[in-house]
Amino acid sequence: GIFFFRNRHALGVSVMHHYTTFSTSLTQFLLSRYFAFCALFVFLFLVIATYNRDYVDSMPPDRDLSKEIEEYAEVCGSLTSDLEGTGPERFWIYFVTPTYVRPQQIPELIRLSHTLKLAKNVHWIVAEDSTSCSPQTAEVLRRSGMPYTHLISPMPAYFERFLRKPKGVSGRRAALQWLRHHLKDLDSQRAGILYFGDDDNTFDLKLFSELRKTMSVSMFPVGLVGDYGISSPVVKDGRVVDFLDSWADSRKFLVDMAGFAVATDFLMSRPSAIMPYLPGHEEDRFLQSLDIELEDILPLADNCTQVYVWHTKTLERDRGVIQHPKGWRTLDTNLGSLYEVARYLGLSDVNASR
């Protein structure tokens, strides 16, 4: 007892030394495992990114994927009409909108339909990424009262394995195929302008009068794009000389999908023009397949000083689940019908277990 009492300080120092050593070793062990995990994560990320980048760069723009992958397209419905008005308005604008099922789909299509109805002589081509014709989309198109073509063209299963998927490309390719067939006679009643307009974008009505000036290929600014907040051709002395865009990545034409239009007679003169399955490069490679140079591009929107289209996006949300309380009756209230509409529109499901 006297020994421990006299050496209590030395014993305390020894215990603290061993504790400190153990704590330091444990910390070093955990840090080494943490950094090893981080290094492994970075390595796997680079491998995946390189794998997908090789996939993007290894596919030439004129490659016919229809022989290598299974593509499918079907016409669900169509409504045509004669041209209205006189002068510059007597050109069809073939407005191509790829879409897919989600809670925001129907309200976005309804909103877009109201814009398109205000612009005369617009033929709306809606292409769904789906294996079956959606009655909800068909209803929106019928109610719009405007000329339309409803297509389905699901993204080929071949691309499901890739991290970066070519979203919307199958629909645009199906629309191009339908348009070529529709325009094969190239009579004055069907010639016009091709434009790709997504269902979540916002369009000024001035855009449509600008589009009708297109003789071969035209370009114009798009707002709310990339880190710059805007994407646009650079115009000098009335000619396109370069591009302003925050993302280059070896693209020749730094332009957003909503930032260009093509005259249909010019499109028909380029039978090999196609939009390839190249994520992030669809616009550039499609324009390259048209075999154009900068001097062939017509700058619109007051020499690209005005913005008439914005790349807006609706807040994404999952399909909701309504918690229907026990004891609440649906037969004598509006809830039964409301629940059916919510299911039909893809807004929500009902959980009646509470």
Side-chain angles (χ1 to χ4, degrees), residues 12-148:
V13 171
S14 177
V15 170
M16 288 299 298
H17 172 73
H18 286 295
Y19 173 77
T20 303
T21 302
F22 173 77
S23 178
T24 302
S25 300
L26 179 61
T27 301
Q28 291 176 347
F29 174 80
L30 293 176
L31 285 175
S32 64
R33 293 298 185 271
Y34 172 77
F35 285 118
F37 174 79
C38 292
L40 178 62
F41 177 80
V42 172
F43 173 76
L44 291 176
F45 176 81
L46 292 175
V47 169
I48 294 174
T50 302
Y51 173 66
N52 280 271
R53 177 59 185 269
D54 290 343
Y55 149 65
V56 169
D57 291 342
S58 64
M59 198 176 297
D62 57 349
R63 184 171 176 178
D64 184 7
L65 287 175
S66 62
K67 298 178 181 179
E68 303 179 31
I69 63 174
E70 184 178 354
E71 289 188 292
Y72 172 75
E74 178 184 337
V75 178
C76 299
S78 185
L79 175 66
T80 60
S81 68
D82 296 329
L83 286 165
E84 301 178 7
T86 59
E89 288 186 347
R90 286 187 63 82
F91 284 97
W92 284 113
I93 293 178
Y94 294 95
F95 196 99
V96 177
T97 301
T99 186
Y100 62 98
V101 175
R102 62 196 189 281
Q104 300 84 6
Q105 180 190 26
I106 299 305
E108 287 188 328
L109 289 176
I110 291 174
R111 179 175 57 188
L112 179 55
S113 72
H114 292 317
T115 298
L116 299 182
K117 285 171 65 175
L118 296 174
K120 291 183 179 179
N121 299 328
V122 174
H123 187 113
W124 196 11
I125 306 174
V126 177
E128 289 194 275
D129 185 351
S130 175
T131 57
S132 60
C133 299
S134 164
Q136 295 88 341
T137 300
E139 182 180 355
V140 172
L141 293 172
R142 286 194 299 268
R143 287 172 52 193
S144 73
M146 59 187 299
Y148 72 86

Side-chain angles (χ1 to χ4, degrees), residues 189-206:
Q189 284 289 307
R190 288 188 281 183
I193 310 299
L194 166 67
Y195 180 71
F196 297 105
D198 290 348
D199 57 7
D200 58 353
N201 288 358
T202 300
F203 306 93
D204 191 315
L205 285 178
K206 293 180 180 179

Side-chain angles (χ1 to χ4, degrees), residues 2 18 20 110 142 160 214 220 231:
I2 295 175
H18 286 295
T20 303
I110 291 174
R142 286 194 299 268
E160 291 293 340
T214 304
F220 35 88
S231 173

Side-chain angles (χ1 to χ4, degrees), residues 54-314:
D54 290 343
Y55 149 65
V56 169
D57 291 342
S58 64
M59 198 176 297
D62 57 349
R63 184 171 176 178
D64 184 7
L65 287 175
S66 62
K67 298 178 181 179
E68 303 179 31
I69 63 174
E70 184 178 354
E71 289 188 292
Y72 172 75
E74 178 184 337
V75 178
C76 299
S78 185
L79 175 66
T80 60
S81 68
D82 296 329
L83 286 165
E84 301 178 7
T86 59
E89 288 186 347
R90 286 187 63 82
F91 284 97
W92 284 113
I93 293 178
Y94 294 95
F95 196 99
V96 177
T97 301
T99 186
Y100 62 98
V101 175
R102 62 196 189 281
Q104 300 84 6
Q105 180 190 26
I106 299 305
E108 287 188 328
L109 289 176
I110 291 174
R111 179 175 57 188
L112 179 55
S113 72
H114 292 317
T115 298
L116 299 182
K117 285 171 65 175
L118 296 174
K120 291 183 179 179
N121 299 328
V122 174
H123 187 113
W124 196 11
I125 306 174
V126 177
E128 289 194 275
D129 185 351
S130 175
T131 57
S132 60
C133 299
S134 164
Q136 295 88 341
T137 300
E139 182 180 355
V140 172
L141 293 172
R142 286 194 299 268
R143 287 172 52 193
S144 73
M146 59 187 299
Y148 72 86
T149 297
H150 182 193
L151 306 172
I152 56 170
S153 182
M155 182 176 64
Y158 173 83
F159 297 104
E160 291 293 340
R161 62 193 179 97
F162 293 109
L163 181 65
R164 298 174 62 196
K165 297 177 175 57
K167 297 179 180 179
V169 175
S170 59
R172 297 186 186 101
R173 287 168 67 97
L176 286 171
Q177 182 182 11
W178 177 89
L179 188 57
R180 289 185 187 279
H181 178 76
H182 181 69
L183 297 172
K184 61 182 179 181
D185 296 330
L186 274 181
D187 60 56
S188 60
Q189 284 289 307
R190 288 188 281 183
I193 310 299
L194 166 67
Y195 180 71
F196 297 105
D198 290 348
D199 57 7
D200 58 353
N201 288 358
T202 300
F203 306 93
D204 191 315
L205 285 178
K206 293 180 180 179
L207 174 68
F208 298 92
S209 59
E210 289 291 300
L211 294 179
R212 290 188 168 93
K213 300 176 183 178
T214 304
M215 302 302 294
S216 54
V217 176
S218 62
M219 293 186 183
F220 35 88
V222 180
L224 300 177
V225 175
D227 294 336
Y228 292 172
I230 194 168
S231 173
S232 173
V234 177
V235 180
K236 182 179 181 181
D237 298 328
R239 303 182 66 177
V240 175
V241 296
D242 208 332
F243 296 94
L244 173 71
D245 195 279
S246 61
W247 183 64
D249 196 32
S250 73
R251 294 187 298 163
K252 179 179 180 179
F253 299 103
L254 280 62
V255 59
D256 185 77
M257 188 69 72
F260 68 92
V262 182
T264 56
D265 55 351
F266 184 78
L267 175 69
M268 295 297 285
S269 70
R270 303 291 195 272
S272 62
I274 192 65
M275 184 170 292
Y277 288 101
L278 300 172
H281 293 251
E282 297 94 333
E283 306 94 331
D284 176 53
R285 299 301 179 89
F286 173 67
L287 291 167
Q288 288 191 47
S289 73
L290 290 172
D291 192 24
I292 62 171
E293 299 297 333
L294 290 181
E295 55 266 26
D296 301 316
I297 301 171
L298 174 67
L300 297 180
D302 195 11
N303 274 330
C304 295
T305 61
Q306 303 298 318
V307 179
Y308 296 142
V309 54
W310 292 264
H311 212 297
T312 50
K313 287 184 177 296
T314 303

